[in-house]
């Protein structure tokens, strides 16, 4: 998500508090929020997929390989 979109999210949030939004602006705000949340989830998933855990027996297990990269697509 680029800086322009983040600024627009903040601008719409301020306008919503101050004076309210038109229907088109509410729809734009909802779409921008969905994009933002998707970007955050993608970033977090990338970080979690790169976590290695050292097991008590000394072996190293990558959590991304164990849980994250099974091809299961989550839609929330």
């Amino acid at each position: 998500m680029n800086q322009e979109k983040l600024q627009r999210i903040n601008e719409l949030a301020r306008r919503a508090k101050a004076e309210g939004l038109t229907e088109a602006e509410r729809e734009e705000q909802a779409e921008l929020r969905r994009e933002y949340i998707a970007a955050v989830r993608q970033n977090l998933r990338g970080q979690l997929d790169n976590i290695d855990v050292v097991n008590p027996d000394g072996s190293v297990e990558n959590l991304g390989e164990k849980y994250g990269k099974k091809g299961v697509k989550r839609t929330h």
Side-chain angles (χ1 to χ4, degrees):
M1 170 153 282
N2 64 33
Q3 192 62 31
E4 283 181 16
K5 288 184 178 183
L6 290 173
Q7 288 174 345
R8 182 65 177 155
I9 289 171
N10 291 328
E11 177 185 335
L12 289 170
R14 284 189 296 272
R15 283 195 62 203
K17 284 183 181 180
E19 60 197 60
L21 299 175
T22 66
E23 184 61 33
E25 289 171 329
R26 280 194 294 272
E27 290 173 13
E28 178 187 8
Q29 184 182 41
E31 179 59 32
L32 287 170
R33 285 179 174 173
R34 280 191 291 275
E35 277 186 53
Y36 177 78
I37 290 169
V40 168
R41 285 181 177 162
Q42 182 180 7
N43 185 15
L44 179 59
R45 173 58 54 203
Q47 291 177 25
L48 293 175
D49 284 347
N50 289 312
I51 293 175
D52 291 332
V53 174
V54 178
N55 294 318
D57 65 0
S59 64
V60 177
E61 186 173 34
N62 181 278
L63 295 182
E65 292 173 6
K66 183 175 182 180
Y67 296 109
K69 298 179 184 174
K70 292 185 178 182
V72 176
K73 184 171 182 163
R74 297 178 186 177
T75 55
H76 289 101

